[in-house]
Amino acid sequence: MDSMKRFIKLYIRPYWFRMVMVMLMAGVTSSYSFLLGFISKLTIDEVLQIKPAAEVASAAGMKSLIKEESVRPRDPQNVLPHQWQDGNIQPEKSRTEKIQWLWWIFILYLIVRSLFATINWFYNYNISFVGQRIVFRIRLDLHQKIQKLQMTFFDRQQTGKIMSRILDDVGLLQSEVTTTFVETTRHVARIIIGVVVLLSIDAKLAILALMALPLYVLTYKGFQRAIATTFSRYREAYADTYGILEERVKGIRVVLSFAREKREFRLFFKRLSGIFRLGLKSNMLSVGLSATCALVSGVASALIFYLGALQVRGGEMTLGDLIYFNMSMGSLFQPLVALTNVNAVIQQMVVVISRVFEVLDEDVRIEDKADALSLKTVHGRVGFQDVSFRYNESADYVLRDLNFKIDPGTSVAVVGPSGAGKSTLVSLLMRLYEPTEGRVFLDDYNIQDVRISSLRDHLSMVPQEPVLFSGTIVDNIRYGREGTTAEQVMQAAKSAELHDFIMTLPEKYEARVEERGSNLSGGQKQRLAFAMALVTDPSILILDDTTSALDAKTEAKIQVTLDRIMEGRTTLVITHRISTAMRADRVLVLDNGRMVGWGKHDELLEKCLVYRRLYDQQQKGDEDRELFAEPVEL
Amino acid sequence: MAEEGNIRNLKKMLPFVKPYVPRLFGGFIITVILTVIGMTPPLIMKYIVDDIVVGGNWSMLEVLLMISISIPILTAGMRVANTFTISYVSHRLIMDLRRTLYGRLLKLPMRFYDEMGTGKVMSRLMGDVATVRSMVTMRVLRIVTDFITFWVATFMCLALNWKMGLLLIVLLPLYMVNYFGWRGPIRESVRAWRTKMDRVSTGLQERLSGVALVKAYGREKKENRAFTEETHESLDQAMVTAVYRAGYNSGVWAVSGLRNTVIFCLGCYFVIIGEMTYGAVMAFLSFAQRMFQPVLNITQMAMQLQTMLVSVERILEVLEFPVDIADKDHAQALPPVKGHVKFEDIHFEYKAGEPVLKGVNLEVQPGQMVALVGHTGCGKTTLTSLLMRYFDVNRGAIKIDGYDIRDVKLRSLRTQIGQVLQDSVMFNISIRDNLRYGQPDASDAALIEAARIAEIHEFIMRTPDGYDTLLGDEGIKLSVGEKQRLAIARAVLTDPAILILDEATSSLDSLSEALIQKAMANVLEGRTSFAIAHRLSTIVNADIIVVMDQGEIVETGNHQELLEIPDGKYRQLYEQQFAGSVSEDIETAD
Ligand SMILES: Nc1ncnc2c1ncn2[C@@H]1O[C@H](COP(=O)(O)OP(=O)(O)OP(=O)(O)O)[C@@H](O)[C@H]1O
Ligand SMILES: Nc1ncnc2c1ncn2[C@@H]1O[C@H](COP(=O)(O)OP(=O)(O)OP(=O)(O)O)[C@@H](O)[C@H]1O
Ligand SMILES: [Mg+2]
Ligand SMILES: [Mg+2]
């Protein structure tokens, strides 16, 4: 319920005026059915002046229920003046008088109706207005939050789940949230008015009618918990399935390549059956609740009506009052049944809302400090001081005690076996993660004191696995820096050796890139990601194994560009090729999270065993080739 | 007309409802009974007012009490039973639909995924199916109830007072006017809204999967702005829909208000002139309500029908996407493969008019290792995709052991070819299950053997739960090289007759690469294999080296033969790489 309160405070309050208006309208409209009941009473007692008859021991009374002719309309004039409440006998009106009165009733009726139709329009409109806007706000907040959250959050959550949360769950809110709130007011108002009306018509009967209320409470209590838990399990199962499905759709090539369709299908079927069972159960619980409530109200109103009829017979009540009472009682019980439904909905909403808050409350551990600095220019000095890092508390350290300084404008190659922590190292510099211990410096600032956006403005990274978006080629290249000219885009594409390929496409730079670049070859994707980083012209450039998918010729060409780009710019190049490492001013050798070598290529050859071995292996490869290359052998 | 086409689409959903017809029929009977019972209260009321109260026939009061009490008791049970039927069928239906869709998805060609994208596929499978469900079942029974209710109520109204009955019938078309007036705008705006929501979800999906990039470029603000804009558009559209809907609803209110007012006052007039009893007026009002409600339901249903038709259409996009890559009618299973592969004049294009492969001819003897080299984008991956039959060739044929791959069962083809893809994708399950993905009943010994070959066993043993360690979303918890090695192990484990390695070691350091290569040499012994690599050192030992350029094979032969071609492509590539390291040596020697 706490989350509900927060929800109201955060999302409903900004619209309090409209909400109040809507609720007022709801309150007003709730009197509608009672007004109609009152008009009926007026008509019966005052205009038509229908009065109950004395006991007629007629066996032929119940000739037929349906045949109209069999029940002879009674000429009102002939009804004997009643013997009830002596002295309170109203004079019979003449027929013309009655018709005149009827006209008034007609006008009254029309006014009430048209008034309510108008209110209804405003009511409907405003409800959607508020509802849509609340959902809009929640979605934005969620999105903003997710953008802010550190990478560790995404390591834990499946993006599919997040998606399902944002879109489906909140979509559910959209249809329910305001209606539920407002309808609740309407129901409550109706119940209050109903109680007052009933009491004012006949206190004794009213008290009897109200005795049905505890039964409602009991029924509701009986079902409530089961409904809540079932529903939340249902949503959970749904979100899980969503996540799995998404993963499969994305990895469809793997599914197909192993011909796993049958198994996948069975697995999915199993999950669907789970959803099926929970969904059915959830529905049955809801209907159980509402059917029980309907039963209670049905029996209760029949009994009360019976008692009322007895009163009419005894002359303690007019027929109009009985009808009025009956109609009002219906209007009172109906919201009670509806309220139990509302409660089921509220239960569901609480589940959804707590999920939303679960995401919103996720600790943003990587956040700008209040007095964070904005860096105008960056020289490009990078320092790691006693940096250790692990991805989470339970895991091993991935990086241990890193200490090194990179001077502005120098290039550093990072080498080491796969899994040594190279990519992790650069993501610390990008502040995608925060070091567990130690500090990372940019120029002489601890990067934790720098605004994240300003930090990342000066740094550009080409990720190891190219990430592309659906859109055009130019959209993708521009992603790194908005507002770049076509000239700059083309320059970047040329530097990345992509221009020639682009020009072979019919739409050139406007050619479409599908989701995750699925219509490009591996090397094309890599080069596109490269162009994306180049266009930002960063102070510090980070390349994470960006030539792994390129052929020798293209790589050599890119290397030439790189030499130019690296000139006077701090560059970190992660690579597996010693030939690339040799070109850098400094080489950093990582092994199993530790820095085992730091220095120039030839220094390292002598003092760093890991580097030496990597080098030898590649030399050996070269020797092999030389062996083959020597035609002299023949 | 477009709309007719839409309605016809609905028919295509019928097969999904069919298995539940008996159940629905049971539900139908209960519904009829419920409907009939639902008709009695106005009559009881009329009797009480006219005969008992005004007529003075008080002795009947207790009888009627019993009747009125028994009605809710009877109906409560039936309502539960009815809801059970409806819920059962509707949830089953959703399940069947999703199942069928998923089954279909697994059969669809790669082209479908390239065109549609994950977000759209997801919204069809999850969202649209839900929309269809609520319509198909709830409404099917609703129609029945409505039909009965309408006719009974009309009859009763005419019987109670034919003059007022006729008046009612005259008022009925007003609903239609209201409905047809709003239908067009509502439909249009719903459609527009859906399209916009689609955009929102696709955009979101991509931003989430590329979250590292979003962060790396500090794009959070811009992404938020873009998202705001997209959501805002869908919001505006939703408001337009809301205005129309509110308009429609008010129209309904106005019409029914008018009806009740006229009927009530007219009825009272008849009471005054003695043509009707008051009880009859009350009953008439109730029946009038019951007569109009179905009409209202049907018009409302027609509105929702529009929403549903859109969903149906989108579902059909998946269901009716041509499966051009499927088993032929009399396809045989491919017998155990020896490994003879022949590409005969292969022509292929992804998009019409942009040929990617232009006449590839290649014959591979069993057990040979083929290396594919060439500039990036020349069609190497495409050639292997054709062998796996992700796409069908436009011209020419691929034959394995003499069988055209289009004539054999897909499953038998793909299970005998192992493939390590250029991008390694892992699922969010344990390492063990990932490795066993292609061979679910592989023994632990075989598992470890494969992991050893791929040089990943030691890493796995270092993870907290060893082989039972769960991988994060898309294997995010692994380094790229680790993923690649897992992918190699996964393919090796299936013990395929033909192995395709698409840049399988591109992200590995040279030491691991050399180790894997040594281990793989044993595995490849006697198997036909295709290796794509840019680092030529890894493929010098291949039996055939195929040099491709712009979708054509320009040179074939072994390493030595190719080097002997003066100015040959291979020679150029080789020298390029060789020169790279030589010049480095010279530089460092200085
Ligand atoms: N799904 C697709 N839809 C449309 N075009 C595609 C698709 N996949 C690849 N292409 C295009 O076909 C050409 C050949 O691509 P392919 O992936 O076969 O190249 P490759 O030789 O494997 O290159 P690389 O070494 O870079 O991986 C490229 O120009 C690419 O843009
Ligand atoms: N998000 C993560 N959560 C937990 N562990 C991770 C995560 N990302 C990487 N790791 C682990 O941290 C270690 C270092 O990973 P990293 O990606 O830095 O390696 P790398 O040196 O870049 O390797 P490669 O050359 O294969 O890309 C690996 O053992 C990996 O399993
Ligand atoms: Mg890495
Ligand atoms: Mg490729």
Side-chain angles (χ1 to χ4, degrees):
Chain A
M1 255 4 215
D2 251 8
S3 50
M4 202 66 174
K5 260 188 226 142
R6 275 181 65 198
F7 175 76
I8 296 175
K9 224 169 98 189
L10 274 170
Y11 293 106
I12 301 204
R13 216 165 59 179
Y15 301 104
W16 68 270
F17 184 71
R18 262 178 210 265
M19 272 314 254
V20 169
M21 289 305 293
V22 174
M23 286 188 183
L24 276 182
M25 286 187 231
V28 172
T29 47
S30 67
S31 62
Y32 180 60
S33 51
F34 299 109
L35 271 176
L36 293 190
F38 185 69
I39 295 178
S40 306
K41 173 200 144 64
L42 267 186
T43 322
I44 297 174
D45 288 346
E46 308 298 333
V47 182
L48 304 181
Q49 293 179 315
I50 301 172
K51 310 229 163 56
E55 196 103 22
V56 189
S58 146
M62 193 173 163
K63 275 178 200 157
S64 161
L65 283 177
I66 302 170
K67 275 202 161 174
E68 171 65 17
E69 303 82 60
S70 65
V71 183
R72 214 176 338 99
R74 217 164 267 279
D75 191 333
Q77 247 74 342
N78 292 344
V79 176
L80 289 171
H82 218 279
Q83 66 265 50
W84 70 16
Q85 292 169 3
D86 306 3
N88 201 11
I89 304 165
Q90 290 172 339
E92 266 295 329
K93 294 194 181 73
S94 72
R95 187 182 277 199
T96 42
E97 246 179 335
K98 280 184 180 175
I99 291 174
Q100 232 166 31
W101 273 93
L102 197 56
W103 274 113
W104 285 115
I105 295 279
F106 179 71
I107 290 164
L108 185 63
Y109 223 129
L110 260 190
I111 290 173
V112 170
R113 293 261 185 200
S114 43
L115 190 69
F116 279 90
T118 321
I119 294 179
N120 209 40
W121 192 91
F122 281 107
Y123 174 75
N124 274 334
Y125 175 80
N126 280 307
I127 268 197
S128 317
F129 183 92
V130 178
Q132 295 282 355
R133 237 146 260 256
I134 288 174
V135 167
F136 174 67
R137 280 245 68 87
I138 297 179
R139 285 216 170 109
L140 284 192
D141 283 358
L142 277 172
H143 187 256
Q144 224 157 43
K145 179 73 181 194
I146 285 176
Q147 297 291 337
K148 258 201 220 154
L149 279 172
Q150 57 280 17
M151 292 300 294
T152 33
F153 176 76
F154 297 97
D155 292 353
R156 262 190 294 123
Q157 304 270 343
Q158 283 183 52
T159 40
K161 269 197 189 174
I162 304 176
M163 274 286 293
S164 126
R165 266 178 203 192
I166 296 197
L167 287 173
D168 292 7
D169 286 3
V170 178
L172 190 80
L173 281 183
Q174 177 167 310
S175 52
E176 309 285 8
V177 69
T178 34
T179 6
T180 312
F181 268 93
V182 178
E183 289 292 289
T184 312
T185 344
R186 193 211 285 268
H187 294 324
V188 171
R190 229 164 123 174
I191 291 171
I192 295 172
I193 298 176
V195 170
V196 173
V197 166
L198 287 192
L199 282 171
S200 73
I201 302 175
D202 188 311
K204 263 187 289 170
L205 271 188
I207 288 167
L208 280 176
L210 294 181
M211 278 179 13
L213 285 182
L215 281 176
Y216 278 104
V217 178
L218 279 183
T219 323
Y220 167 67
K221 280 254 147 93
F223 279 95
Q224 177 207 26
R225 170 140 318 137
I227 290 182
T229 48
T230 314
F231 183 71
S232 87
R233 277 176 56 205
Y234 173 75
R235 298 296 303 173
E236 201 65 54
Y238 186 85
D240 273 353
T241 312
Y242 197 104
I244 286 179
L245 186 66
E246 194 188 10
E247 209 184 53
R248 296 302 186 268
V249 172
K250 275 191 191 161
I252 188 71
R253 264 178 199 262
V254 176
V255 177
L256 294 184
S257 77
F258 288 104
R260 272 282 299 237
E261 293 92 326
K262 280 224 181 81
R263 217 163 247 276
E264 283 300 338
F265 186 65
R266 265 208 303 279
L267 229 94
F268 189 64
F269 182 50
K270 223 158 82 196
R271 298 207 152 256
L272 284 182
S273 328
I275 293 184
F276 162 71
R277 272 193 302 276
L278 285 172
L280 187 58
K281 189 171 166 199
S282 171
N283 277 6
M284 288 323 289
L285 284 170
S286 302
V287 79
L289 176 60
S290 63
T292 316
C293 288
L295 181 66
V296 170
S297 72
V299 173
S301 41
L303 278 173
I304 301 288
F305 190 76
Y306 169 69
L307 293 176
L310 286 186
Q311 292 221 31
V312 172
R313 178 188 185 184
E316 290 149 56
M317 216 180 173
T318 62
L319 179 61
D321 275 337
L322 178 61
I323 303 275
Y324 183 25
F325 191 93
N326 194 45
M327 283 172 85
S328 307
M329 193 162 55
S331 309
L332 173 69
F333 281 145
Q334 205 191 332
L336 279 174
V337 177
L339 264 185
T340 56
N341 269 335
V342 162
N343 215 284
V345 176
I346 287 185
Q347 290 302 329
Q348 300 177 358
M349 263 174 53
V350 169
V351 173
V352 172
I353 288 171
S354 10
R355 279 169 174 227
V356 168
F357 280 122
E358 214 177 279
V359 176
L360 287 182
D361 289 346
E362 186 74 24
D363 225 358
V364 181
R365 259 164 281 154
I366 301 188
E367 206 172 14
D368 285 338
K369 287 192 183 161
D371 52 352
L373 300 162
S374 247
L375 302 182
K376 285 265 145 35
T377 51
V378 165
H379 300 294
R381 193 195 321 279
V382 172
F384 273 61
Q385 194 184 64
D386 301 326
V387 173
S388 293
F389 176 75
R390 53 181 174 185
Y391 278 98
N392 52 56
E393 282 82 46
S394 55
D396 263 353
Y397 277 94
V398 172
L399 294 175
R400 279 175 252 234
D401 292 326
L402 293 188
N403 271 300
F404 61 88
K405 268 209 193 86
I406 302 173
D407 291 331
T410 49
S411 55
V412 175
V414 184
V415 299
S418 153
K422 304 179 293 294
S423 303
T424 309
L425 183 138
V426 296
S427 42
L428 289 186
L429 179 56
M430 294 293 294
R431 217 176 155 210
L432 293 176
Y433 296 93
E434 211 91 270
T436 319
E437 284 143 40
R439 280 172 292 177
V440 179
F441 293 96
L442 174 65
D443 285 0
D444 292 314
Y445 304 103
N446 183 338
I447 58 170
Q448 296 188 347
D449 298 331
V450 179
R451 293 177 73 108
I452 298 171
S453 57
S454 135
L455 173 77
R456 292 181 188 156
D457 264 352
H458 295 290
L459 272 72
S460 226
M461 176 172 81
V462 184
Q464 196 168 7
E465 291 174 290
V467 182
L468 303 173
F469 296 96
S470 62
T472 62
I473 287 184
V474 71
D475 286 346
N476 269 285
I477 297 181
R478 276 218 179 109
Y479 187 82
R481 176 84 79 243
E482 223 141 272
T484 40
T485 62
E487 182 58 37
Q488 283 168 309
V489 168
M490 196 186 294
Q491 208 49 54
K494 275 185 180 151
S495 300
E497 290 300 322
L498 194 63
H499 180 72
D500 292 341
F501 162 68
I502 295 174
M503 295 318 278
T504 63
L505 300 171
E507 295 106 345
K508 309 261 183 312
Y509 278 86
E510 296 299 327
R512 267 199 76 73
V513 177
E514 296 296 344
E515 204 175 275
R516 291 190 310 274
S518 64
N519 59 341
L520 296 176
S521 84
Q524 287 159 355
K525 278 191 273 192
Q526 217 166 38
R527 282 175 291 157
L528 187 53
F530 191 36
M532 210 165 174
L534 288 182
V535 88
T536 63
D537 190 22
S539 307
I540 299 180
L541 182 64
I542 303 170
L543 307 175
D544 194 348
D545 208 8
T546 24
T547 52
S548 64
L550 302 183
D551 57 286
K553 191 169 162 203
T554 316
E555 190 186 359
K557 280 197 204 155
I558 286 192
Q559 196 63 56
V560 174
T561 330
L562 263 184
D563 286 346
R564 183 168 50 74
I565 291 170
M566 280 167 19
E567 199 66 47
R569 195 190 304 260
T570 310
T571 322
L572 271 94
V573 185
I574 298 179
T575 180
H576 287 302
R577 299 186 194 181
I578 299 292
S579 60
T580 311
M582 286 190 298
R583 287 170 175 263
D585 299 325
R586 282 272 182 314
V587 180
L588 195 167
V589 188
L590 270 184
D591 189 18
N592 206 359
R594 288 182 200 282
M595 190 168 91
V596 295
W598 168 251
K600 295 220 166 74
H601 169 71
D602 9 346
E603 288 167 30
L604 286 175
L605 275 185
E606 264 146 49
K607 62 179 195 204
C608 178
L609 192 67
V610 178
Y611 191 69
R612 176 89 225 172
R613 274 170 50 205
L614 285 170
Y615 177 77
D616 284 348
Q617 178 57 45
Q618 277 180 28
Q619 285 305 106
K620 199 164 138 266
D622 287 344
E623 273 162 32
D624 283 352
R625 280 182 298 166
E626 269 168 70
L627 250 174
F628 277 104
E630 229 50 73
V632 194
E633 239 186 24
L634 291 169
Chain B
M1 233 174 85
E3 193 186 330
E4 274 169 38
N6 284 348
I7 297 285
R8 219 171 298 136
N9 281 342
L10 211 51
K11 253 192 231 152
K12 295 177 186 152
M13 292 284 119
L14 281 184
F16 290 98
V17 186
K18 221 168 172 188
Y20 305 109
V21 167
R23 234 170 228 281
L24 282 176
F25 188 73
F28 163 78
I29 291 182
I30 300 179
T31 311
V32 172
I33 298 174
L34 274 175
T35 316
V36 172
I37 293 179
M39 291 300 204
T40 50
L43 292 178
I44 294 176
M45 197 66 182
K46 171 180 179 302
Y47 185 77
I48 290 177
V49 171
D50 288 345
D51 285 30
I52 297 183
V53 177
V54 180
N57 192 3
W58 292 100
S59 56
M60 288 304 291
L61 194 57
E62 278 78 14
V63 178
L64 281 176
L65 170 71
M66 296 327 286
I67 296 178
S68 348
I69 287 182
S70 60
I71 288 177
I73 295 175
L74 271 178
T75 49
M78 280 196 269
R79 259 190 66 203
V80 172
N82 211 16
T83 313
F84 180 79
T85 315
I86 295 178
S87 300
Y88 180 88
V89 174
S90 70
H91 284 284
R92 271 308 284 252
L93 197 77
I94 244 194
M95 184 167 90
D96 293 350
L97 256 175
R98 290 212 174 113
R99 197 172 56 155
T100 315
L101 273 170
Y102 191 57
R104 183 76 180 185
L105 274 181
L106 292 173
K107 284 205 193 94
L108 285 174
M110 286 306 302
R111 197 157 46 82
F112 170 82
Y113 292 93
D114 287 351
E115 277 173 23
M116 187 131 347
T118 317
K120 279 191 185 168
V121 173
M122 293 301 292
S123 67
R124 273 154 190 76
L125 226 88
M126 302 312 265
D128 288 325
V129 168
T131 316
V132 170
R133 160 194 97 142
S134 62
M135 259 318 267
V136 171
T137 50
M138 311 280 179
R139 307 302 164 193
V140 166
L141 285 186
R142 210 31 172 315
I143 292 177
V144 176
T145 333
D146 286 347
F147 184 79
I148 301 172
T149 312
F150 178 77
W151 287 111
V152 174
T154 310
F155 172 77
M156 293 305 291
C157 284
L158 286 172
L160 283 171
N161 186 313
W162 63 268
K163 286 183 211 155
M164 290 208 306
L166 284 182
L167 182 70
L168 267 191
I169 293 171
V170 174
L171 280 175
L172 212 48
L174 280 182
Y175 274 122
M176 297 298 170
V177 172
N178 185 43
Y179 166 67
F180 283 108
W182 290 105
R183 189 181 64 164
I186 290 184
R187 186 171 56 194
E188 284 312 306
S189 69
V190 164
R191 196 181 287 261
W193 178 73
R194 288 232 147 199
T195 321
K196 285 184 174 143
M197 277 313 283
D198 236 22
R199 276 246 305 281
V200 171
S201 66
T202 319
L204 188 59
Q205 161 105 37
E206 282 198 355
R207 276 180 216 119
L208 286 177
S209 46
V211 70
L213 195 69
V214 172
K215 288 188 182 305
Y217 284 112
R219 283 279 304 227
E220 290 92 336
K221 280 229 186 69
K222 277 166 212 140
E223 287 304 347
N224 276 333
R225 214 174 316 128
F227 184 75
T228 312
E229 224 166 77
E230 279 164 21
T231 336
H232 212 291
E233 269 175 37
S234 79
L235 169 77
D236 289 344
Q237 195 60 50
M239 281 322 294
V240 172
T241 317
V243 172
Y244 291 155
R245 284 238 165 94
Y248 168 75
N249 282 337
S250 301
V252 171
W253 261 69
V255 175
S256 44
L258 186 68
R259 178 203 69 203
N260 277 348
T261 313
V262 171
I263 296 294
F264 180 73
C265 293
L266 201 63
C268 289
Y269 173 74
F270 284 135
V271 174
I272 294 172
I273 61 170
E275 227 179 81
M276 234 179 144
T277 61
Y278 185 72
V281 174
M282 284 175 68
F284 191 95
L285 273 171
S286 296
F287 283 120
Q289 178 72 31
R290 283 168 163 76
M291 171 178 161
F292 274 49
Q293 194 58 45
V295 179
L296 204 62
N297 288 344
I298 285 172
T299 53
Q300 255 165 9
M301 202 176 85
M303 291 233 170
Q304 289 161 341
L305 190 72
Q306 292 308 327
T307 324
M308 196 197 66
L309 284 179
V310 177
S311 287
V312 167
E313 222 171 88
R314 287 156 42 121
I315 288 174
L316 286 176
E317 263 176 53
V318 177
L319 283 183
E320 296 194 333
F321 196 94
V323 182
D324 37 25
I325 301 197
D327 291 342
K328 283 190 181 161
D329 281 344
H330 302 291
Q332 290 179 343
L334 181 66
V337 169
K338 292 193 198 66
H340 182 271
V341 179
K342 196 167 176 199
F343 293 89
E344 290 175 356
D345 192 31
I346 304 293
H347 287 259
F348 179 72
E349 51 193 27
Y350 287 103
K351 260 191 272 170
E354 294 173 42
V356 172
L357 295 178
K358 312 159 194 165
V360 170
N361 280 296
L362 181 65
E363 185 167 355
V364 183
Q365 298 305 328
Q368 278 189 327
M369 174 178 173
V370 183
L372 299 173
V373 299
H375 293 317
T376 126
C378 67
K380 304 178 293 291
T381 302
T382 306
L383 194 65
T384 60
S385 300
L386 292 180
L387 183 61
M388 288 297 276
R389 217 177 152 213
Y390 295 143
F391 306 92
D392 270 337
V393 294
N394 294 102
R395 220 168 75 205
I398 300 176
K399 289 184 178 157
I400 296 181
D401 292 350
Y403 293 91
D404 189 319
I405 58 169
R406 280 168 297 190
D407 296 336
V408 297
K409 286 214 167 96
L410 257 184
R411 199 181 140 74
S412 68
L413 171 76
R414 288 184 186 155
T415 46
Q416 297 195 62
I417 306 180
Q419 188 185 29
V420 180
L421 294 160
Q422 200 165 5
D423 325 285
S424 346
V425 177
M426 291 289 142
F427 293 127
N428 188 14
I429 42 182
S430 70
I431 292 181
R432 184 192 306 277
D433 291 341
N434 263 302
L435 290 183
R436 288 199 305 200
Y437 192 74
Q439 193 74 33
D441 36 11
S443 70
D444 276 1
L447 203 70
I448 293 172
E449 172 69 22
R452 284 231 162 90
I453 291 173
E455 284 295 311
I456 191 72
H457 176 69
E458 272 159 44
F459 167 77
I460 297 175
M461 294 317 285
R462 262 189 287 127
T463 58
D465 300 319
Y467 280 88
D468 293 315
T469 308
L470 283 177
L471 297 184
D473 193 11
E474 295 168 55
I476 201 168
K477 287 181 183 166
L478 297 170
S479 87
V480 178
E482 286 158 357
K483 259 197 284 187
Q484 252 182 1
R485 283 178 283 163
L486 280 181
I488 294 174
R490 182 171 64 184
V492 165
L493 191 61
T494 60
D495 191 21
I498 299 176
L499 195 59
I500 301 171
L501 302 168
D502 194 349
E503 306 253 17
T505 54
S506 65
S507 295
L508 293 181
D509 56 287
S510 40
L511 281 174
S512 320
E513 186 173 42
L515 286 173
I516 292 178
Q517 258 199 308
K518 211 188 279 162
M520 284 297 275
N522 290 331
V523 176
L524 295 183
E525 192 69 52
R527 286 177 221 262
T528 306
S529 62
F530 294 82
I532 301 178
H534 289 306
R535 278 189 237 167
L536 299 182
S537 62
T538 59
I539 49 113
V540 284
N541 294 323
D543 300 306
I544 310 175
I545 295 175
V546 176
V547 185
M548 294 179 63
D549 191 26
Q550 311 223 346
E552 277 167 303
I553 293 183
V554 287
E555 290 165 18
T556 35
N558 66 26
H559 182 70
Q560 274 179 355
E561 289 164 7
L562 290 180
L563 277 187
E564 278 162 25
I565 304 171
D567 282 338
K569 273 263 170 206
Y570 184 75
R571 201 184 165 101
Q572 279 175 18
L573 276 174
Y574 180 77
E575 273 167 2
Q576 197 93 45
Q577 215 165 60
F578 187 60
S581 46
V582 167
S583 66
E584 239 50 64
D585 278 346
I586 294 164
E587 265 170 42
T588 45
D590 285 346

